Amino acid sequence: MTLSFPNPTRAYDETRGLIRFIGHDGLNQVLFLLPVALFDREGSTSRRKERDYLLAFDRLRDRILTTARQAYQSRRRHTIELDLSAFGSSLQSAA
């Protein structure tokens, strides 16, 4: 089956500094973890808030989901943490 994202829900985990979102491969649920540090600009001293991170995620949703699909195809795990290397370039300039 193909990985899909029928539920647009995403959640910010302040303790771990990441956004969680879910994909589905048939009946299997896949948890994706996206560190919010990927959205921060280098040298930035301003502290973003939950709303800022979720809005950044929403603006980049298509790119993030495409990257999540690619990561899942290569790893096929139930939990996948995405990192900067998964994107090939920074999300910072687009956030």
Side-chain angles (χ1 to χ4, degrees):
M1 293 217 79
T2 303
L3 184 69
S4 64
F5 298 92
N7 185 345
T9 302
R10 73 279 185 271
Y12 175 59
D13 181 338
E14 184 175 13
T15 303
R16 293 195 54 206
L18 50 83
I19 294 175
R20 300 169 185 262
F21 61 101
I22 305 275
H24 295 274
D25 183 2
L27 296 176
N28 297 318
Q29 184 171 290
V30 183
L31 173 64
F32 289 92
L33 307 172
L34 178 70
V36 295
L38 296 177
F39 296 122
D40 292 333
R41 296 185 187 341
E42 274 187 47
S44 173
T45 57
S46 66
R47 181 153 165 83
R48 289 186 166 193
K49 297 183 178 160
E50 176 178 1
R51 183 179 145 277
D52 299 323
Y53 289 124
L54 294 177
L55 286 172
F57 180 95
D58 291 342
R59 279 193 301 273
L60 297 167
R61 182 179 295 272
D62 290 340
R63 183 171 174 196
I64 292 168
L65 298 184
T66 296
T67 302
R69 282 185 186 97
Q70 292 167 346
Y72 179 70
Q73 289 299 327
S74 68
R75 298 182 211 163
R76 295 265 184 201
R77 291 190 228 142
H78 293 287
T79 301
I80 296 176
E81 185 163 351
L82 301 171
D83 59 15
L84 189 56
S85 66
F87 290 90
S89 64
S90 174
L91 289 176
Q92 298 167 358
S93 59

